[in-house]
Amino acid sequence: PGRPAMPAAATAVTPHRGGLGVAPHPLVGGELDNSGYMQQQQQQQQAMLRGGAHGAAQQQPPHETKAATPVLFTLECVYSEGVHLPDLPQERRRLVHCLAPPSGDEGLRPFASHLIPFSVGRAVQCDFLDALVVLDAARSTISREHFRVCAEEVRSQPPLYESVGDRRPFCTFSLTNLSGNGTQLNDELLQARGQSRVLHHGDVITLSRSVTRFDGTFQVKFLQLRFDLSQSCAREAELPSNIE
């Protein structure tokens, strides 16, 4: 008689995200398995102590040799006044916002608890803005906190939007203007502080400066950032048209 078959182990399907050297993060049913994440980090450190970097690489597949906090979204510069963007390395042309990393041995935590707001301004990204904004007249219009991007998990997204094998949680994203100089989203200028709009993948955020000439005062763009979710650990939720 043959040996009885062993039952197959249950596994959670987690989509692999390429690019940026980001390893898959343990997303399980809309929650982050922090205990598994911390165990992975401890295994890496033990492997490094036993056999150095080569030993750690043998313990895991190549794409998992460098664990990192999952990317939520990126803001990539697509225009900068007076700057030839191809001359700058990619890391100098984009801002990467990640989930808040797990701290301590916390076990399972809701995905929403890892979503933190992301502010853009001189007080936060001084080096990034200095590299991209070369004109003093433009720099002076950037506020210490110019605008903020927030993400909110949507738990009631209908199942019909589910993709096969894709268990990433759904989120909505929003842009809030924090500057008296305003922030432009696509073709709309958000002038009032606290004014917000829904953000979608591919939207363009523009900062501009006032220029006065003999025929009047005009707004001249000096920096444009594209909102990108192609590397995101979350999916953009589809909202009813009346919410826009």
Side-chain angles (χ1 to χ4, degrees), residues 17 20 70-76 94-99 115-120 147-151 171-174 199 201 205 226-234:
R17 297 175 289 102
L20 296 180
V71 172
L72 186 58
F73 62 80
T74 62
L75 295 174
E76 182 170 2
R94 69 176 179 176
L95 298 170
V96 180
H97 183 51
C98 300
L99 297 180
L115 302 176
I116 55 177
F118 184 71
S119 296
V120 175
F147 65 86
R148 178 180 299 140
V149 176
C150 295
C171 286
T172 58
F173 300 87
S174 62
L199 262 179
H201 172 70
I205 303 168
R226 181 174 58 213
F227 181 69
D228 192 287
L229 294 173
S230 59
Q231 304 285 343
S232 180
C233 61

Side-chain angles (χ1 to χ4, degrees), residues 80-81 122 129 132-143 146 181 207-210 220-223:
S80 179
E81 184 182 16
R122 289 185 294 105
L129 293 172
L132 290 173
V133 183
V134 296
L135 301 178
D136 290 338
R139 286 181 181 175
S140 64
T141 66
I142 304 175
S143 301
H146 203 96
N181 295 320
L207 302 187
S208 58
R209 58 189 177 90
S210 297
V220 176
K221 66 181 181 182
F222 63 84
L223 185 68

